[in-house]
Amino acid sequence: MAIEAQGKKDTDKPASWAYYLSYLYTKYRLPPLLLVVCQDRATAEWASGPVSIGPRQWPALTLRPLVAGPHNMPVITDVAEARKDLALTTLAAITHAADPDIGAILKTLSTALRDVPEIIADPLVELTAQGLGNRPAAQQWRNLVAVDLSFYKSFMAEEIRDEGRTEGIAQGILLFLAQAGVDVSDEARGRITTCGDLETLNRWLLRAPTARSAEDVFAEE
C-alpha cells in the first residue's frame, strides 16, 4: 500500500501516484493500493478520480485512489470505540484536523493509546504527528503526547522532552545573568532561548554564573 497526504488539488500528483503504484507492482508483483488522506471534502472529491492515463478513446491505465477524508471518516470521541480499531481512530483523527472538536478527538486517541504496547503505539503517535502537519491541531497533539504518553520513548516524545529541557536550561542561563546584573540584549536573549542544542546550552550554563557580559557566555562559540 502507498499512503499519500494531500492538502490541496495538485494536477501533477496523479502522475506521481501512477509511478508509485507501477513501481510497487513491478517490484513486489502484488496488486498495490493507493490511500490518499485529505483534510477537506473538496480535495477528497478531486483526489477520488478516476484519472485516465493514455489516449482518451483507449486509456492505458485508470487510476482510482482510495480516499479518506472528513466526509467519509467517523468522528471518534469515545475511548472504548477508539480502542476497538486504533488504526482507524488515528486515520480519522488526521482527516478531522480542521474539525472544531479536534481537541476532544485527539484526547480520545491519546487516552486509548495509553494502555497499548509501545511497538503498536509509537508508529501511531508518529503517524498522527506527521498527518496533522502544521495545523494548530499539531501542537495540541504534541501537548497530549507530552502529558498522556510521556512514558513512551518514541522520536516525537523524546523531541518534546528535549524541548522541555532546553527551555529550562535557557531560563536558567538568563536567571544567572540577571542575578549577576548583566544586561542581556534582545539579540543575545533570542540566541539563548532559540538554541535547541543541549550540549551548547549546558556549556553556556556553566559560564553564566561568572559571566560579566552576555558575550562571555558565548565565548569561543
Side-chain angles (χ1 to χ4, degrees):
M1 175 186 287
I3 303 177
E4 180 88 355
Q6 193 64 35
K8 61 181 180 179
K9 181 178 178 180
D10 184 348
T11 55
D12 292 331
K13 273 303 178 70
S16 298
W17 295 341
Y19 172 79
Y20 299 157
L21 295 174
S22 298
Y23 173 80
L24 291 173
Y25 180 71
T26 301
K27 183 173 182 178
Y28 298 106
R29 298 296 178 181
L30 294 172
L33 175 67
L34 172 64
L35 173 62
V36 180
V37 181
C38 304
Q39 294 173 334
D40 68 89
R41 183 161 190 159
T43 303
E45 290 177 349
W46 164 78
S48 297
V51 177
S52 296
I53 299 175
R56 181 179 301 177
Q57 64 274 23
W58 198 271
L61 179 67
T62 300
L63 186 66
R64 292 178 179 270
L66 175 64
V67 176
H71 65 296
N72 62 4
M73 296 297 292
V75 174
I76 301 175
T77 55
D78 180 77
V79 176
E81 181 183 356
R83 286 174 175 154
K84 293 177 182 178
D85 193 333
L86 291 171
L88 173 65
T89 302
T90 300
L91 186 58
I94 292 171
T95 59
H96 289 287
D99 193 292
D101 206 24
I102 186 60
I105 294 170
L106 293 177
K107 178 63 177 178
T108 300
L109 176 58
S110 67
T111 302
L113 289 173
R114 284 187 60 85
D115 301 323
V116 176
E118 291 182 30
I119 193 171
I120 297 173
D122 282 356
L124 298 180
V125 170
E126 306 299 338
L127 178 61
T128 304
Q130 293 297 320
L132 294 175
N134 59 2
R135 289 180 175 270
Q139 186 57 51
Q140 292 179 267
W141 180 242
R142 293 175 69 84
N143 294 340
L144 287 168
V145 170
V147 177
D148 290 353
L149 305 174
S150 59
F151 49 86
Y152 285 131
K153 297 180 180 179
S154 68
F155 173 81
M156 182 180 173
E158 286 297 319
E159 181 183 346
I160 291 172
R161 286 193 282 272
D162 282 347
E163 287 178 358
R165 285 194 287 267
T166 58
E167 290 175 5
I169 294 172
Q171 292 304 314
I173 295 169
L174 294 173
L175 179 60
F176 276 128
L177 293 175
Q179 288 178 334
V182 172
D183 182 43
V184 181
S185 66
D186 290 342
E187 181 181 355
R189 183 180 298 273
R191 183 175 178 184
I192 292 169
T193 56
T194 59
C195 179
D197 184 73
L198 282 171
E199 184 177 342
T200 299
L201 284 169
N202 282 323
R203 192 161 56 245
W204 292 350
L205 183 65
L206 291 174
R207 297 172 184 162
T210 58
R212 295 184 178 181
S213 69
E215 287 68 28
D216 290 343
V217 173
F218 308 132
E220 300 177 5
E221 294 296 337

